[in-house]
Amino acid sequence: TSPFAWLRTRFYYLLIRLYFDQEFSVEEFTRGAKQAFSVVSKLLSQRKLDLLDELVSAEVLQVLKEKISLLPDSHRDALAADIDAIMYTTEGDVRIYYDDDGIKFVSILMCFWYLNGASLPDEVPGGAKVFQIVFGDESTKEKKHLLTANYEFQREFTEGAKPDWTITRIEHPRLLE
């Protein structure tokens, strides 16, 4: 992350604490985002989309229903991210905005890098390489892929709104395209 992007993100976090939620904690949000990512990615992998109603926006869920039905099993298996397999997490972008009716929203894009043992080809369509990591020696070797995912979390901060974060974008590059 560039120093400018890092400062910009921290400035937005300060605005969230000052004007929307004095108890907002980046660490707590990141912990919750990792848990949500793990749960949602596993449910996607298992095609249990009906269990995502409270976690994912209706628009995203509709798109996912179409995409998941077309995925090969290997790609679907690769969507699942065990919380212990998440290697790195960072914020991609933070936005604060108001709609035409004065409703206040905050959205935070989270980027996840995770290990997954799904049986994927070494290259995927478009010639993109899939990063692989091999654990163990020749007799017990286990191959895992280092995959990425981007999930955008949105919360309404208008007075009286539910204090829940909703996932409004799900991207698993090279898997869910």
Side-chain angles (χ1 to χ4, degrees), residues 17 21-25 28:
R17 284 185 62 103
D21 181 2
Q22 290 80 25
E23 313 239 335
F24 180 80
S25 158
E28 186 177 322

Side-chain angles (χ1 to χ4, degrees), residues 135-148:
F135 296 97
D137 59 20
E138 283 302 314
S139 63
T140 62
K141 126 171 129 171
E142 179 185 6
K143 183 165 71 169
K144 295 212 176 211
H145 299 279
L146 181 60
L147 302 170
T148 62

Side-chain angles (χ1 to χ4, degrees), residues 31-44:
R31 230 181 346 270
K34 284 172 74 171
Q35 285 181 320
F37 165 60
S38 179
V39 168
V40 169
S41 68
K42 287 177 185 174
L43 291 173
L44 287 174

Side-chain angles (χ1 to χ4, degrees), residues 10-177:
R10 295 305 176 257
F11 175 70
Y12 276 113
Y13 286 149
L14 176 64
L15 290 176
I16 292 168
R17 284 185 62 103
L18 289 174
Y19 296 106
F20 299 109
D21 181 2
Q22 290 80 25
E23 313 239 335
F24 180 80
S25 158
V26 177
E27 294 79 16
E28 186 177 322
F29 175 82
T30 301
R31 230 181 346 270
K34 284 172 74 171
Q35 285 181 320
F37 165 60
S38 179
V39 168
V40 169
S41 68
K42 287 177 185 174
L43 291 173
L44 287 174
S45 174
Q46 298 165 1
R47 293 184 180 163
K48 294 182 178 179
L49 303 179
D50 53 323
L51 299 177
L52 296 175
D53 284 340
E54 297 293 316
L55 301 171
V56 178
S57 72
E59 298 83 15
V60 171
L61 202 49
Q62 186 59 41
V63 171
L64 287 172
K65 286 178 181 178
E66 295 169 15
K67 289 184 176 184
I68 293 289
S69 67
L70 302 173
L71 281 182
D73 288 344
S74 61
H75 282 67
R76 202 180 75 245
D77 293 343
L79 295 174
D82 192 46
I83 198 156
D84 295 330
I86 300 171
M87 306 309 303
Y88 183 70
T89 304
T90 188
E91 308 93 9
D93 192 22
V94 178
R95 292 181 293 148
I96 298 172
Y97 55 97
Y98 297 81
D99 74 1
D100 293 337
D101 298 324
I103 299 174
K104 302 179 265 188
F105 292 97
V106 171
S107 68
I108 302 174
L109 178 66
M110 296 297 292
C111 306
F112 303 96
W113 285 261
Y114 65 102
L115 291 175
N116 183 289
S119 178
L120 291 173
D122 292 345
E123 290 194 21
V124 290
K129 276 294 242 186
V130 175
F131 292 100
Q132 300 176 21
I133 300 170
V134 177
F135 296 97
D137 59 20
E138 283 302 314
S139 63
T140 62
K141 126 171 129 171
E142 179 185 6
K143 183 165 71 169
K144 295 212 176 211
H145 299 279
L146 181 60
L147 302 170
T148 62
N150 302 311
Y151 281 46
E152 182 176 63
F153 296 83
Q154 183 182 80
R155 180 177 164 194
E156 181 181 343
F157 278 94
T158 308
E159 191 170 324
K162 286 199 266 180
D164 299 333
W165 289 90
T166 303
I167 298 170
T168 55
R169 180 169 52 164
I170 294 178
E171 298 172 342
H172 283 263
R174 297 184 295 267
L175 296 174
L176 259 181
E177 294 183 347

